[in-house]
Amino acid sequence: MSDFLDVLSVLILLSSFILMANKRIKSYIQTFRIQSALIALTAGIMGIDILSKEGRFDVLIVCVIIIAMKVIYIPHLLNKAYTNVEYKIEKDFFLNIPILIFVCCMIVVFCYFSISNTGGINLGIINLRVVNSVSLILIGLFFMISRKKAIGQIIGFLVIENGLFITAMLATQGMPFIVDIGIFIDMLTAVLILGIMVFKINEKFDSIDMNELKNLRG
Amino acid sequence: MQINSLSEQGTLLIAAITLFLLAAFAALILIKSHKLCNIVSNVICIIAAFFGVAASVIKIFIDNTSTHINIFTSTIPFISIEIEFDKLSAFFVLCLSVLVICVSIYSIGYISHYYGKRNVGLFNFLYSTFILSMLLVMISSNAIFFFFAWEAMSFVSYFLVVFESEHVENQKAGKLYIIMTHIGTAFLLIAFMIMFSYTGSFDLRGSSTAIPEFAKNIMFVLFLIGFGTKAGVIPVHIWLPRAHPAAPSNVSALMSGIMIKTAIYGLLRFVLCYLHVENTWWGISILCIGIISAVLGVAYALMEHNIKRLLAFHSVENIGIILIGLGVGFIALAQKNEFLGALAITASLLHTFNHTLFKGGLFLGAGSIQYATHTKNIEKLGGLIKKMPITALLVLCFSLAICAIVPFNGFISEWLTYQALFANIIPGEAGINILSILSVAALALAGALAAACFVKLFGISFLGRSRSAAVENAKEVPVTMNIGMGILALMCLAIGLFPTLFIRGVDKVVSGMVGTSIINQLQGGFIIAFYPLSISGNAISPLVILGAIVGVILLAIFVIRIIGGKYIERKYGTWDCGFESLDSKMQYSATGFSKPLRIVLKILYRPRREVEIEESASSYFPTSIKYKVSTEQIFEKYFYAPILRVLKSLSRKVKFSVQTGSIHAYLVYIFIAVIVLMLYNRLV
């Protein structure tokens, strides 16, 4: 099982690189869907493992919720938002894509550097799964910084959430069920609100460019 | 809820707390009927304060143990309401309760001018909560609870300061007050954190041996700044002369009478009882601050013509005198001279109590004047003694007391402070000797200036002719207001005439802290007291001095009447130099009265004057002359203004460069913060 998890954590990290290299908003959503599916798969494998060893099935429920929410419902919501805005492709970046990818690599190296001697996580050998998932959080944050359009910000936020979830999952073998449920409901609310905000920003400024929000400063 | 180990004064204390709460809620329940609400709430406060007096008197004079009450323990760490009632707390609770009794009696009449105009229910709610929060500050037993009570006290008093919020200057005063008090609180919070980080406990009665020397020094400085801000010592006094005039007079009486004394309580509780005085420089710095506050406070008071601002500056002066006593005490204790330490701290505690009485009384007097004339400017008063004779008599008593004139109480405590300073001149200690001699001189200067100031206050506002129509229509205030002030005046006189009785009580408090009793060294009996007593051989008895003065006056009358022979007495108006009639503009004004001192202390006041003469046909008969004089507040100009300028330009820069409004910039800040934290995790 350990091998499966290693492979999956690398694949999840890879999906965030793919996300970073994308320009089309439609493919942001697709990549996010794939990433969520991978996370659901991870949760499923761990859930089966825990069910067979300890008899708990809450991780499996979490897995089902992930599939329902992150793989189906939220991408569906985002697609609806996508059809309503006129910007389909990100054109101007603060940094160009090769540099972004390079920075992402640096982030992974930095996470390795930072986490490799943290007590409690590394049992004998360096826990690469945690390194990968912490990198995912930072890459999500960096994705939010690098994109100017509001949908990019939402996707970045969701990637951060994915990263937090998978970090908690891999570091603790499943958090208490109630905590997971709480986080999911928070995230769902956040995405709903953000989706509405995208419409509003689009209406008010004729664009979803976050730089327009500067005008709100007092 | 659990209440353990209740002794009788514990029960009394709990009863007092409950009654104050009841008063607060009664005020809210009866909010519709202004008169009923005011009377009910104040009467409950008076009863509660009587419980407080009973509890503290029993504690000071009879009980020698310390009462610990655990009202409420929660599962949240450190959040618990623990009360510890020892002699020091009892002494301050006594000050509070005595003042509350008088002020509440006064408020029954005073608040009547709010009926139908303002929210009396809200006012009484805040008033009762304010008293309760001060009570809790004095009896709390852990630093967290102390901090909560302290903050509650600051907030509630802020709302009371801005109660008449339609005036812009009141809002400004409130804003300045809340900023200054929070700066002070921040210092206290840091000190509590240091305390916890070394001892692992917030217990105020715990031991401080685990705290190393340098941390103790830092804590002392933090406590000094934090409590100093509340006490209003110079140079952090600037909120005091603004907040006191803004608040309603009964609240200013409480604020000046007892709220600023919570800072003295804090210094005694934390520095003396918790940290234990170890370094001489602690006492020296308190002494220096005390000297500066005493002299400059009274000097600024002289230039004020707003009666409440003037009194507020006198609070600065009196806090200075209290701190002089405290400073000498700390110096002596650091040098293991316990007798002198006890004497000086007795002096400063007695002055605390005395100041509570007469300054509370003076603010109530100012309130009476405002109630009758609707003005606070003494240049517009005059001749009030004919309109309100009782108020005039009471204000005269308080003025004599604050000027330290026999036979009132101010004299007793200042005399003890002088004695402590003289006794502090020990052969061999050159630096401290010079400081002591200088502080004697400074205290004498402050006393003389205070006397001049109160001659001005009383003379200009009560004597002479009335200067405005408001005074012409003034009437004597409601009887409850005079009763409230009268009790305070009687107590001032009682302490002045029978000081040993009160010193005995203070001595019990001090000997509990310091371990040495000084009462046996004081000569004299129950009625005629001589002090001090054996240390320097000086002996003085207020009663005998009073007797001597009366004797001299009688002798003079006797000599004039009997030996001088008969003469005819003719009653006639004052000679008016041939003018048509005397009017109120021909009398000495407050500005004119303080002119000589303004010239002498030019370096401090930097006075500027403007004279505008409107000429008519002849230059000898101008149609009008306007004379305007203004003095400079050097601390505000040279200390606060530069700091504010730097802060302002800094915040403007931050607004335009850091807080740009761009979401990406904020995300970058978060990103950098996370990276730095991860780096910290790796490297440390």
Side-chain angles (χ1 to χ4, degrees):
Chain A
M1 190 202 67
S2 171
D3 294 339
F4 279 127
L5 291 183
D6 280 340
V7 169
L8 278 170
S9 83
V10 171
L11 282 178
I12 290 168
L13 183 63
L14 197 63
S15 69
S16 69
F17 274 78
I18 297 169
L19 187 67
M20 193 56 107
N22 268 326
K23 276 186 185 173
R24 282 163 204 283
I25 288 171
K26 187 94 189 167
S27 41
Y28 290 173
I29 300 169
Q30 291 306 329
T31 321
F32 170 70
R33 187 174 280 188
I34 293 167
Q35 191 180 62
S36 303
L38 288 169
I39 285 170
L41 191 59
T42 317
I45 290 171
M46 285 186 78
I48 291 166
D49 188 47
I50 288 170
L51 184 66
S52 62
K53 278 185 188 153
E54 300 172 28
R56 286 192 292 128
F57 55 87
D58 50 351
V59 184
L60 278 177
I61 297 176
V62 169
C63 166
V64 172
I65 293 173
I66 291 175
I67 291 172
M69 253 175 62
K70 287 188 183 169
V71 182
I72 299 168
Y73 184 59
I74 289 176
H76 171 68
L77 268 182
L78 290 174
N79 272 328
K80 252 188 4 193
Y82 165 76
T83 51
N84 281 312
V85 295
E86 48 189 300
Y87 289 88
K88 310 289 183 195
I89 302 173
E90 290 255 23
K91 284 174 192 130
D92 53 334
F93 291 90
F94 293 110
L95 300 167
N96 62 26
I97 285 178
I99 293 182
L100 290 178
I101 297 290
F102 180 72
V103 172
C104 287
C105 295
M106 287 295 112
I107 288 174
V108 177
V109 172
F110 176 77
C111 285
Y112 183 87
F113 170 72
S114 169
I115 292 178
S116 57
N117 72 339
T118 304
I121 297 175
N122 309 303
L123 301 167
I125 51 162
I126 292 166
N127 193 336
L128 276 175
R129 279 178 242 157
V130 175
V131 173
N132 291 344
S133 35
V134 172
S135 312
L136 185 62
I137 303 172
L138 286 184
I139 290 173
L141 187 54
F142 189 61
F143 185 79
M144 283 180 90
I145 296 171
S146 66
R147 269 22 181 211
K148 283 186 177 173
K149 298 288 181 281
I151 285 196
Q153 314 284 319
I154 300 176
I155 298 282
F157 171 78
L158 290 169
V159 171
I160 294 176
E161 206 283 329
N162 270 350
L164 288 170
F165 176 79
I166 199 72
T167 310
M169 198 76 167
L170 292 174
T172 65
Q173 312 296 318
M175 279 192 293
F177 186 58
I178 191 79
V179 177
D180 277 333
I181 294 293
I183 292 172
F184 284 141
I185 289 168
D186 278 355
M187 191 191 57
L188 191 62
T189 328
V191 170
L192 284 172
I193 292 168
L194 286 170
I196 295 163
M197 291 293 280
V198 170
F199 286 130
K200 287 286 165 197
I201 296 168
N202 198 25
E203 268 175 26
K204 260 278 186 277
F205 301 105
D206 293 325
S207 96
I208 51 169
D209 194 332
M210 296 309 266
N211 277 331
E212 299 282 341
L213 285 180
K214 265 190 185 176
N215 300 333
L216 295 175
R217 182 176 61 153
Chain B
M1 271 296 223
Q2 52 175 45
I3 297 176
N4 316 330
S5 64
L6 273 187
S7 57
E8 55 189 315
Q9 68 277 53
T11 324
L12 288 170
L13 204 61
I14 296 286
I17 293 172
T18 323
L19 279 172
F20 279 126
L21 271 177
L22 188 68
F25 285 107
L28 284 186
I29 291 166
L30 299 172
I31 205 160
K32 291 271 187 236
S33 158
H34 284 179
K35 191 170 181 188
L36 186 67
C37 152
N38 185 36
I39 293 174
V40 167
S41 159
N42 277 313
V43 166
I44 299 176
C45 277
I46 294 167
I47 298 168
F50 271 112
F51 277 112
V53 169
S56 42
V57 166
I58 292 174
K59 172 57 80 182
I60 292 175
F61 284 97
I62 298 169
D63 191 9
N64 281 322
T65 56
S66 161
T67 309
H68 185 96
I69 308 165
N70 205 344
I71 294 187
F72 174 79
T73 315
S74 75
T75 48
I76 308 166
F78 310 119
I79 306 284
S80 57
I81 299 177
E82 278 174 76
I83 289 173
E84 181 108 15
F85 194 53
D86 62 1
K87 290 198 178 206
L88 180 61
S89 303
F91 177 76
F92 279 88
V93 170
L94 182 64
C95 294
L96 173 74
S97 307
V98 167
L99 191 63
V100 165
I101 292 173
C102 301
V103 173
S104 293
I105 295 174
Y106 176 92
S107 301
I108 295 175
Y110 177 75
I111 294 301
S112 63
H113 75 280
Y114 282 163
Y115 290 170
K117 290 181 199 153
R118 288 175 192 282
N119 192 339
V120 177
L122 177 66
F123 178 84
N124 278 317
F125 171 74
L126 289 171
Y127 174 83
S128 316
T129 344
F130 180 44
I131 299 168
L132 181 63
S133 62
M134 289 193 286
L135 181 65
L136 292 180
V137 163
M138 291 163 186
I139 57 179
S140 61
S141 129
N142 68 52
I144 299 271
F145 181 37
F146 179 89
F147 191 76
F148 271 95
W150 183 265
E151 276 295 82
M153 182 176 82
S154 302
F155 271 115
V156 177
S157 54
Y158 164 75
F159 288 121
L160 286 166
V161 166
V162 296
F163 189 71
E164 293 175 13
S165 60
E166 70 277 0
H167 303 295
V168 181
E169 67 264 36
N170 290 359
Q171 295 170 12
K172 276 189 181 164
K175 205 192 283 172
L176 182 68
Y177 169 54
I178 196 106
I179 290 172
M180 289 305 289
T181 193
H182 271 90
I183 291 174
T185 312
F187 282 97
L188 293 185
L189 189 61
I190 300 171
F192 292 154
M193 293 297 172
I194 295 177
M195 169 180 159
F196 182 76
S197 69
Y198 284 106
T199 60
S201 141
F202 281 114
D203 192 7
L204 297 188
R205 272 70 172 177
S207 151
S208 65
T209 40
I211 306 173
E213 186 71 26
F214 76 96
K216 277 189 179 177
N217 286 337
I218 294 172
M219 277 174 80
F220 167 72
V221 174
L222 292 170
F223 282 134
L224 190 60
I225 299 173
F227 288 122
T229 314
K230 198 65 168 184
V233 298
I234 285 174
V236 281
H237 66 290
I238 53 162
W239 64 268
L240 211 124
R242 284 161 209 253
H244 284 352
S249 288
N250 50 351
V251 175
S252 352
L254 280 181
M255 280 176 74
S256 183
I258 193 75
M259 189 190 78
I260 59 174
K261 309 298 188 333
T262 56
I264 303 295
Y265 168 77
L267 279 178
L268 283 168
R269 168 68 69 208
F270 287 96
V271 178
L272 182 63
C273 300
Y274 185 75
L275 289 180
H276 301 295
V277 185
E278 283 167 359
N279 295 318
T280 318
W281 69 266
W282 293 10
I284 292 174
S285 47
I286 292 183
L287 181 58
C288 291
I289 287 175
I291 294 170
I292 294 170
S293 301
V295 174
L296 292 188
V298 70
Y300 281 125
L302 264 169
M303 290 303 121
E304 285 300 336
H305 302 143
N306 176 329
I307 190 163
K308 288 174 86 179
R309 271 179 78 101
L310 183 149
L311 293 176
F313 272 119
H314 271 286
S315 296
V316 176
E317 180 221 346
N318 278 288
I319 282 289
I321 296 173
I322 294 169
L323 286 184
I324 288 176
L326 217 57
V328 173
F330 283 9
I331 292 174
L333 287 178
Q335 294 172 337
K336 308 285 175 228
N337 185 350
E338 283 184 354
F339 174 72
L340 178 56
L343 178 66
I345 292 172
T346 306
S348 87
L349 276 186
L350 192 62
H351 199 71
T352 306
F353 190 57
N354 290 343
H355 184 243
T356 303
L357 298 179
F358 55 65
K359 184 49 69 63
L362 279 168
F363 268 111
L364 296 184
S368 292
I369 292 173
Q370 205 188 343
Y371 183 91
T373 65
H374 307 290
T375 180
K376 287 182 271 190
N377 187 349
I378 57 173
E379 297 278 30
K380 289 188 181 154
L381 302 172
L384 275 176
I385 196 164
K386 292 172 210 121
K387 310 278 181 191
M388 359 182 5
I390 302 172
T391 311
L393 178 70
L394 295 173
V395 172
L396 182 63
C397 290
F398 297 131
S399 303
L400 291 176
I402 199 172
C403 297
I405 288 171
V406 184
F408 288 96
N409 58 353
F411 169 75
I412 309 300
S413 45
E414 285 204 28
W415 177 253
L416 275 179
T417 312
Y418 278 116
Q419 290 302 328
L421 279 170
F422 283 127
N424 197 28
I425 305 173
I426 307 157
E429 289 269 358
I432 293 175
N433 281 356
I434 291 170
L435 192 65
S436 298
I437 293 165
L438 280 178
S439 20
V440 171
L443 197 55
L445 177 64
L449 291 178
C453 193
F454 277 92
V455 167
K456 178 179 102 173
L457 173 72
F458 190 79
I460 302 292
S461 48
F462 284 99
L463 306 180
R465 284 169 179 247
S466 55
R467 292 178 175 80
S468 67
V471 180
E472 296 288 345
N473 303 326
K475 285 191 203 76
E476 186 60 88
V477 292
V479 67
T480 48
M481 290 168 73
N482 281 331
I483 292 175
M485 286 163 70
I487 297 173
L488 286 173
L490 278 180
M491 292 197 67
C492 285
L493 196 60
I495 298 183
L497 290 179
F498 312 110
T500 355
L501 184 65
F502 291 87
I503 293 175
R504 204 175 293 277
V506 179
D507 180 61
K508 280 187 187 291
V509 176
V510 175
S511 61
M513 288 189 292
V514 179
T516 309
S517 170
I518 58 160
I519 197 75
N520 296 328
Q521 309 257 0
L522 298 175
Q523 299 168 0
F526 175 65
I527 293 179
I528 301 174
F530 296 93
Y531 9 152
L533 340 188
S534 45
I535 7 175
S536 60
N538 298 344
I540 197 157
S541 160
L543 210 60
V544 170
I545 292 179
L546 183 67
I549 292 172
V550 171
V552 167
I553 292 171
L554 285 177
L555 189 72
I557 293 171
F558 177 78
V559 166
I560 292 165
R561 286 282 177 174
I562 308 295
I563 301 173
K566 283 206 157 102
Y567 57 87
I568 302 155
E569 206 173 273
R570 191 172 60 130
K571 288 204 168 121
Y572 193 70
T574 316
W575 185 53
D576 55 8
C577 304
F579 280 99
E580 282 167 36
S581 65
L582 289 173
D583 70 12
S584 62
K585 285 192 179 144
M586 292 174 190
Q587 45 188 346
Y588 227 157
S589 70
T591 316
F593 186 84
S594 51
K595 172 102 185 179
L597 283 160
R598 197 153 51 237
I599 292 172
V600 173
L601 298 174
K602 211 173 179 176
I603 188 160
L604 178 66
Y605 298 132
R606 320 262 172 119
R608 259 202 316 270
R609 64 173 175 183
E610 292 165 37
V611 184
E612 278 176 40
I613 301 175
E614 206 174 299
E615 300 255 345
S616 67
S618 159
S619 59
Y620 296 106
F621 296 101
T623 40
S624 76
I625 303 178
K626 269 186 195 161
Y627 176 84
K628 219 162 128 189
V629 65
S630 56
T631 52
E632 223 171 56
Q633 299 284 344
I634 47 173
F635 285 102
E636 287 175 29
K637 189 167 178 191
Y638 297 105
F639 182 64
Y640 286 101
I643 294 178
L644 276 182
R645 255 202 310 279
V646 170
L647 269 182
K648 251 187 193 163
S649 71
L650 213 68
S651 1
R652 199 170 292 125
K653 272 181 202 151
V654 165
K655 188 183 161 191
F656 283 106
S657 59
V658 180
Q659 201 174 8
T660 55
S662 152
I663 285 193
H664 294 96
Y666 299 152
L667 286 171
V668 169
Y669 300 151
I670 298 173
F671 191 69
I672 291 171
V674 172
I675 297 282
V676 168
L677 281 177
M678 288 177 74
L679 212 60
Y680 177 83
N681 167 49
R682 163 72 203 205
L683 298 178
V684 180

